[in-house]
Amino acid sequence: MQTPFVTSIIQKVAEEIGAVVLVDPECNFVGLITFKNGNKTFFRTTRFSINSFASAAIAKDKGVSSFFLNKFGYKVTEGKTFFSEELCEEIANPRNIDAGFYYAKELGFPVIVKPINLSQGIFVTKVHNKQEYYQAAKKILQKTTGFIVERFYSGNDYRIVVLDDEVVSAYQRIPLFIIGDGQSNVLELMQQKQESFIKNGRKEIIDFEDYRIKKNLRRRKLTFNSVIPKNNIVYLLDNANLSTGGEAIDFTENIHPDFQKLAVSIAKDMELRLAGVDILTSDITLPMVDYTIIEVNGAPSLTHYASFGKVQTKRVENLYLKILKALENENHREKH
């Protein structure tokens, strides 16, 4: 079995500081790190015990974290949570799928519908009408008990990764897209894209069955058989997560200090030592005029980011080295 990318980086940087890594052979993204000074820490994929359990759990619940960020005075997306019929009965709350639709109409289409507690952009959908709304909401409720309906904001999507008062990386995320060559159809262009991902060590990350791709093609009056004119760009998804085929443009070297300060203070206020802060703004290299926080992630995965080049891989290695050093020198408090 091939060692996962994160595990191999952890093994590499642990060796540099004389730590020993014990990986579960059945589940090779889980391991125990023993440091030279006797301290120990577990990891599971990108989750380390660097953040407290409570802070990580709050960051994972998008509705709750948005509430706190708003109370701290940050600009967050305007939205509300809605729940499955079972949960509505259990907590005596009328905010069911139909209430969500009326709220979406109130905000004005298009709106974003997204699961309350799933990661990696799963089921995050931009919906334009009643039919699309119910399709997205029902898909989410098959998987989890609640979803968020939020206002759609335009702007560029950036992720800023913070570790202990320092911005480690910053990059713009661009949703999964294909570029026409005047000969290949949509399906062929998607297959070519998938092959280029695999070649760059990004695994098979395009889900050809994703209903959102079909929805977006339909909206543009296209099918998998449509030939795309040369140099025409077609965006297949609305969410910009790298884990669903998004691409990254690196801004680590030229992120404006305003945005560095913003990301560091958000992580601090959310009690997260390690955080991925996702924001929408027009340009992260200019002084901050306006921004909207999409969400804060307590276990940012940088696997896909690292696949964009040697510089990025080195940054990820440095981040994990810093995390391990921080954990090695920590007085062993009870942590997640």
Side-chain angles (χ1 to χ4, degrees):
M1 203 191 297
Q2 198 188 359
T3 305
F5 179 76
V6 175
T7 307
S8 62
I9 285 190
I10 291 167
Q11 287 169 325
K12 183 179 175 184
V13 296
E15 208 174 296
E16 288 177 35
I17 56 170
V20 177
V21 183
L22 176 64
V23 178
D24 179 343
E26 291 289 303
C27 192
N28 56 9
F29 50 83
V30 174
L32 173 68
I33 303 163
T34 306
F35 298 104
K36 278 199 299 196
N37 63 7
N39 273 355
K40 291 179 180 181
T41 187
F42 285 106
F43 69 89
R44 181 185 176 89
T45 58
T46 56
R47 295 188 182 277
F48 297 90
S49 50
I50 194 142
N51 291 329
S52 75
F53 183 80
S55 304
I58 283 169
K60 192 165 167 41
D61 188 314
K62 297 175 179 72
V64 174
S65 61
S66 188
F67 165 79
F68 284 111
L69 286 163
N70 187 31
K71 286 290 178 214
F72 296 147
Y74 297 108
K75 293 179 189 168
V76 294
T77 51
E78 183 186 347
K80 280 186 183 172
T81 48
F82 298 90
F83 310 101
S84 65
E85 291 295 347
E86 298 76 35
L87 193 57
C88 283
E89 277 176 37
E90 204 179 299
I91 60 176
N93 188 317
R95 293 228 298 265
N96 63 5
I97 192 168
D98 298 326
F101 172 64
Y102 290 113
Y103 179 66
K105 274 210 310 195
E106 209 177 287
L107 285 179
F109 287 107
V111 297
I112 297 292
V113 177
K114 63 185 186 185
I116 207 162
N117 56 3
L118 299 178
S119 53
Q120 299 189 319
I122 295 167
F123 293 145
V124 175
T125 312
K126 181 181 177 185
V127 301
H128 297 80
N129 53 44
K130 183 176 185 175
Q131 186 193 350
E132 289 182 1
Y133 164 80
Y134 276 99
Q135 184 188 26
K138 283 173 181 169
K139 289 260 184 206
I140 291 168
L141 292 177
Q142 284 168 3
K143 269 270 192 288
T144 187
T145 53
F147 60 92
I148 298 174
V149 176
E150 64 185 24
R151 188 180 289 286
F152 171 73
Y153 296 81
S154 52
N156 292 322
D157 181 321
Y158 297 95
R159 167 162 286 186
I160 307 168
V161 179
V162 176
L163 175 66
D164 286 341
D165 302 344
E166 185 194 346
V167 168
V168 181
S169 71
Y171 50 94
Q172 184 184 345
R173 306 185 300 176
I174 295 164
L176 174 64
F177 66 89
I178 48 175
I179 301 175
D181 60 8
Q183 294 165 358
S184 311
N185 65 26
V186 169
L187 187 60
E188 288 162 344
L189 291 168
M190 285 169 68
Q191 285 161 342
Q192 288 163 25
K193 186 111 190 183
Q194 184 87 295
E195 280 159 25
S196 76
F197 284 159
I198 294 165
K199 209 169 79 188
N200 292 330
R202 280 185 78 187
K203 297 187 302 204
E204 294 184 26
I205 50 181
I206 300 177
D207 176 4
F208 288 81
E209 296 302 308
D210 192 325
Y211 79 96
R212 297 172 299 177
I213 292 176
K214 289 170 184 155
K215 173 187 79 72
N216 282 341
L217 289 174
R218 251 202 322 275
R219 179 151 283 284
R220 291 170 176 81
K221 298 189 168 43
L222 299 170
T223 69
F224 280 149
N225 295 321
S226 307
V227 173
I228 306 299
K230 197 170 171 56
N231 296 330
N232 272 26
I233 294 177
V234 177
Y235 289 97
L236 299 173
L237 290 174
D238 303 307
N239 65 300
N241 300 65
L242 302 191
S243 47
T244 51
E247 311 230 346
I249 302 172
D250 210 310
F251 284 97
T252 311
E253 298 299 326
N254 42 12
I255 174 176
H256 194 277
D258 288 359
F259 287 105
Q260 290 185 335
K261 276 195 208 104
L262 174 74
V264 167
S265 72
I266 287 169
K268 250 204 177 86
D269 284 339
M270 292 301 284
E271 304 258 321
L272 294 166
R273 291 178 67 187
L274 172 65
V277 179
D278 296 344
I279 61 166
L280 287 171
T281 189
S282 56
D283 190 338
I284 207 173
T285 66
L286 299 176
M288 188 169 73
V289 180
D290 203 19
Y291 72 89
T292 309
I293 300 171
I294 311 170
E295 60 185 62
V296 178
N297 192 315
S301 169
L302 291 160
T303 310
H304 299 293
Y305 169 74
S307 74
F308 285 99
K310 285 181 181 154
V311 175
Q312 288 77 8
T313 304
K314 193 72 200 143
R315 278 201 190 114
V316 175
E317 286 178 5
N318 287 340
L319 169 66
Y320 287 136
L321 185 60
K322 282 176 182 161
I323 291 171
L324 262 54
K325 282 180 173 170
L327 290 168
E328 178 178 28
N329 300 321
E330 195 174 57
N331 301 330
H332 230 53
R333 296 173 300 199
E334 193 183 334
K335 287 214 147 199
H336 168 50

